[in-house]
Amino acid sequence: MTKMPLVEVELDSSVVTKACAVQLVRSIIEFLLYDRLQIPLPYGAFRELVKSRTLPIEDDLPVRGADIKLRKEIEQAKQTVTNVDLLFEIIAACVEQDPCLREVLILLGSTIYTAKETFHVRLPVIDVNHHGINHRQDLKKDLMKLNRALFTSDEFNSIRPVQLPTNVHVLVKTSNIPPTVEEDIFTLLDDYEVPPKCPVFNVQLNSSMDATRLNCCNRLEVFQDNASLETVSAFSDTEATTKTAETPGSWLQLNIITRGLNRCSSLMQ
């Protein structure tokens, strides 16, 4: 991989749950979709707009060119929202199945082998003995901090090779393929490497160094039967923030490919 400057975010949370990890990855993808001009609005606003639009009613009257354009743009936008929402569901399934998941690749380009821009995300260690519902307030603060770091990052704005609508691909490094996901949803890659000339932006998310033991989830069910999950909880905060070696597992390409949109001028009216 061509190394680019590291964008490092120190999260305030000392505990990262599975739900928190999913939201952090989702936030980065949403940021890139808008920042890299793949959708005309931030994803939340874009999704609400698209959900509120209905296709023009077909009748026996002559079809105007404007109506054809509007129908096409609405159909494309609805497909984009459907794909992004499904992508987030698959990412959540991957994290649920493999809490050891630590790396995500987000690639912009026609294919993963001709990517023009890559974002390599490294996640903190996920603590399976804590539950997202008890850490929502901390997550809100961390998401704000992450988005602020992305928007103000000189590294993210220094090189912008992608200026036109293209495909957005997502790969996760996992040691367990989610059994509840249909096989055509993903492709297992044995030895994937980012194209040599593709710029790579590294995003490192670190959990807080605060080692205070939290008892917030003691009364809720915890995972004690799976040895691999216990291993995840055994990592110290120091190990979580300093580990930079490649994590074990294989790259799993999620076959939910999001296609960027043009300006959608009529859709925005």
Side-chain angles (χ1 to χ4, degrees):
M1 293 184 184
T2 302
K3 296 297 183 182
M4 294 291 291
L6 175 68
V7 177
E8 193 165 13
V9 181
E10 302 291 338
L11 304 176
D12 292 332
S13 300
S14 58
V15 168
V16 175
T17 68
K18 290 183 287 188
C20 292
V22 171
Q23 287 298 320
L24 290 168
V25 173
R26 173 173 177 157
S27 186
I28 294 172
I29 294 175
E30 290 183 2
F31 165 79
L32 292 175
L33 286 172
Y34 177 58
D35 184 71
R36 262 35 187 185
L37 306 179
Q38 301 306 302
I39 55 176
L41 295 170
Y43 184 69
F46 177 69
R47 186 178 188 275
E48 289 299 318
L49 173 64
V50 172
K51 291 287 187 180
S52 68
R53 300 303 299 266
T54 56
L55 294 172
I57 299 176
E58 295 183 353
D59 52 32
D60 296 330
L61 297 176
V63 179
R64 298 181 303 169
D67 292 334
I68 296 176
K69 180 180 180 181
L70 178 59
R71 170 176 288 274
K72 182 177 180 180
E73 288 187 354
I74 292 177
E75 288 176 343
Q76 290 177 339
K78 285 184 177 295
Q79 187 61 55
T80 295
V81 169
T82 297
N83 286 353
V84 174
D85 286 351
L86 181 56
L87 176 65
F88 292 154
E89 291 179 14
I90 302 304
I91 291 173
C94 289
V95 174
E96 181 66 32
Q97 176 65 20
D98 184 12
C100 294
L101 189 152
R102 297 286 303 283
E103 296 182 65
V104 179
L105 284 181
I106 305 164
L107 304 100
L108 279 68
S110 298
T111 72
I112 62 173
Y113 300 103
T114 58
K116 303 301 182 184
E117 199 171 18
T118 297
F119 300 84
H120 189 178
V121 181
R122 290 183 180 275
L123 297 168
V125 170
I126 296 174
D127 192 328
V128 298
N129 289 318
H130 284 262
H131 304 262
I133 192 172
N134 283 354
H135 297 272
R136 286 180 296 183
Q137 289 302 116
D138 290 338
L139 176 61
K140 288 181 180 179
K141 296 178 183 178
D142 286 335
L143 289 175
M144 291 178 61
K145 191 171 186 178
L146 171 60
N147 284 318
R148 183 167 58 249
L150 295 176
F151 275 111
T152 60
S153 170
D154 292 335
E155 287 82 3
F156 269 61
N157 293 307
S158 60
I159 300 177
R160 302 179 67 87
V162 175
Q163 298 292 334
L164 297 173
T166 187
N167 292 332
V168 180
H169 311 265
V170 177
L171 282 65
V172 298
K173 181 168 280 191
T174 178
S175 55
N176 294 307
I177 299 176
T180 58
V181 179
E182 298 178 9
E183 290 187 1
D184 60 348
I185 295 298
F186 57 81
T187 300
L188 186 61
L189 305 176
D190 293 329
D191 297 306
Y192 176 73
E193 294 184 1
V194 175
K197 295 184 179 181
C198 177
V200 178
F201 297 87
N202 296 283
V203 184
Q204 176 75 47
L205 304 182
N206 300 326
S207 57
S208 170
M209 293 295 289
D210 182 8
T212 304
R213 185 175 182 82
L214 300 178
N215 298 316
C216 54
C217 299
N218 279 357
R219 295 186 178 182
L220 296 178
E221 179 183 359
V222 296
F223 300 91
Q224 297 177 338
D225 297 329
N226 191 321
S228 64
L229 298 187
E230 290 174 353
T231 302
V232 175
S233 301
F235 282 109
S236 68
D237 289 325
T238 301
E239 290 171 326
T241 56
T242 60
K243 184 176 179 182
T244 58
E246 290 289 329
T247 53
S250 301
W251 286 112
L252 197 66
Q253 179 184 3
L254 308 185
N255 294 337
I256 307 300
I257 299 174
T258 299
R259 173 69 182 175
L261 301 172
N262 289 316
R263 290 295 181 179
C264 295
S265 56
S266 58
L267 177 64
M268 301 291 290
Q269 295 177 357

